[in-house]
Amino acid sequence: AQSVTQPDIHITVSEGASLELRCNYSYGATPYLFWYVQSPGQGLQLLLKYFSGDTLVQGIKGFEAEFKRSQSSFNLRKPSVHWSDAAEYFCAVGAVSYDKVIFGPGTSLSVIP
Amino acid sequence: GAVVSQHPSWVICKSGTSVKIECRSLDFQATTMFWYRQFPKQSLMLMATSNEGSKATYEQGVEKDKFLINHASLTLSTLTVTSAHPEDSSFYICSARDPYEQYFGPGTRLTVT
């Protein structure tokens, strides 16, 4: 069965600093991988997704993620964090495109001035 | 981008009553919709997959007689929580997919008193 782990429950970074959020998945075949962001009181927004091809994926808001099959990882990165990036971030995996997407436990990001 | 709405955005009901939550795809037709449940500061747990015109497929551990799902049209799915109890209090999120992407609604906060 597919599963997702996000080792960091909460991360605090300074504004302007770089960010990396970790995600590891378990799945028998090539997974479909996603990163979503959820701001307080708001719905989920898709940051980026990986289906196939180039393993470095560019997303919205300056985020990127790299798929590493050998490490079963799909870490999210941003070179310079803005205060508005404070939110909950979810990594997710799907077996086929958007069928039965399973979410990781989430990482809460705080940004300090 | 495509928009998914949920109604109501929040609802308070008394224990033992039933409450219906609507999920609509506003500008596209969704053959498949998904219902998730999110507890405070936790991840989204997939409850069921709803296909237009057919019975919903429930995830293991989800009571199908308590959480009734109807997907009557390509733009509307409803979740009815029957005989609600305080432990059903949660944040319910729907999503709808088109051939290319999955879009999430803003969620419905249910409080059972």
Side-chain angles (χ1 to χ4, degrees):
Chain A
Q2 61 215 59
S3 65
V4 183
T5 57
Q6 294 179 247
D8 304 304
I9 297 174
H10 185 258
I11 286 181
T12 300
V13 299
S14 298
E15 189 169 16
S18 63
L19 171 71
E20 182 170 32
L21 302 182
R22 296 182 292 165
C23 171
N24 292 97
Y25 67 90
S26 174
Y27 186 63
T30 299
Y32 291 78
L33 296 162
F34 312 86
W35 274 100
Y36 288 90
V37 60
Q38 186 180 38
S39 298
Q42 299 195 21
L44 285 168
Q45 182 179 26
L46 177 68
L47 289 175
L48 47 78
K49 61 192 177 192
Y50 172 79
F51 286 175
S52 64
D54 193 347
T55 57
L56 184 61
V57 181
Q58 301 297 321
I60 62 172
K61 301 185 179 185
F63 286 94
E64 67 176 26
E66 186 171 12
F67 170 58
K68 293 185 177 180
R69 184 188 302 275
S70 62
Q71 299 177 19
S72 297
S73 69
F74 189 55
N75 294 348
L76 182 72
R77 299 192 294 255
K78 186 170 185 177
S80 178
V81 171
H82 188 262
W83 65 265
S84 60
D85 293 325
E88 191 80 20
Y89 290 81
F90 294 98
C91 181
V93 62
V96 177
S97 187
Y98 289 97
D99 287 335
K100 291 193 68 170
V101 175
I102 304 300
F103 285 79
T107 297
S108 177
L109 174 66
S110 296
V111 180
I112 55 177
Chain B
V3 177
V4 175
S5 70
Q6 283 185 240
H7 178 79
S9 56
W10 60 272
V11 57
I12 301 173
C13 69
K14 292 185 182 297
S15 185
T17 63
S18 296
V19 61
K20 180 185 288 187
I21 302 170
E22 292 186 349
C23 175
R24 293 181 184 272
S25 56
L26 296 185
D27 48 6
F28 68 101
Q29 293 184 329
T31 55
T32 304
M33 290 184 172
F34 305 89
W35 287 95
Y36 292 84
R37 182 174 182 177
Q38 186 179 29
F39 291 102
K41 298 191 182 299
Q42 293 190 30
S43 187
L44 285 77
M45 302 298 296
L46 180 64
M47 298 175 66
T49 301
S50 166
N51 290 298
E52 186 264 340
S54 61
K55 290 184 178 180
T57 302
Y58 291 81
E59 294 300 302
Q60 190 173 7
V62 178
E63 299 177 61
K64 61 181 181 181
D65 294 330
K66 166 169 271 300
F67 299 101
L68 299 179
I69 293 172
N70 182 276
H71 193 160
S73 75
L74 289 172
T75 60
L76 173 64
S77 177
T78 60
L79 168 68
T80 301
V81 183
T82 62
S83 187
H85 288 93
E87 57 265 30
D88 299 324
S89 299
S90 192
F91 194 53
Y92 293 88
I93 302 172
C94 76
S95 69
R97 64 164 292 185
D98 66 12
Y100 310 104
E101 196 162 322
Q102 183 174 181
Y103 306 94
F104 284 84
T108 296
R109 174 76 58 194
L110 170 63
T111 301
V112 185
T113 61

